[in-house]
Amino acid sequence: MVGVNYKDEQHEAQRWLKQFGDPLTRNFFDPQGQADIGLGLYGAPETYFIDPKGFVAYRHVGELNQQVWEEKLKVINHPAIC
């Protein structure tokens, strides 16, 4: 999983990830909010599943926590999609 810290201060985002855990493989920082143009963001947090060809296969708007993962997203986490 890859994260984009959208309009966050880098040191604050790193502190938060250290405090609460960082499940991500890589984090990118977008302090100016340029990712919204390419991804069509309209309100963070948002989670995207990208298929092997680089297309957005699924988009989840809202908090990603254990309950959301188990009830909505776990079934999407499939090699054919991700």
Side-chain angles (χ1 to χ4, degrees):
M1 289 185 7
V2 175
V4 177
N5 289 294
Y6 174 74
K7 294 187 176 180
D8 287 334
E9 295 290 331
Q10 187 171 4
H11 68 279
E12 288 295 322
Q14 289 174 330
R15 183 179 60 79
W16 191 93
L17 290 168
K18 185 176 180 178
Q19 180 179 352
F20 294 104
D22 185 357
L24 306 171
T25 305
R26 181 171 290 171
N27 281 287
F28 296 97
F29 292 91
D30 180 20
Q32 306 303 319
Q34 297 299 310
D36 60 353
I37 296 167
L39 295 174
L41 293 172
Y42 67 86
E46 295 182 32
T47 301
Y48 296 85
F49 285 81
I50 309 298
D51 72 14
K53 294 181 181 180
F55 293 99
V56 175
Y58 182 80
R59 175 182 179 198
H60 172 77
V61 178
E63 178 183 0
L64 179 56
N65 56 36
Q66 190 65 37
Q67 182 179 354
V68 170
W69 177 258
E70 293 292 333
E71 293 177 4
K72 296 181 180 180
L73 304 179
K74 190 175 184 178
V75 295
I76 298 169
N77 190 18
H78 187 277
I81 296 175
C82 301

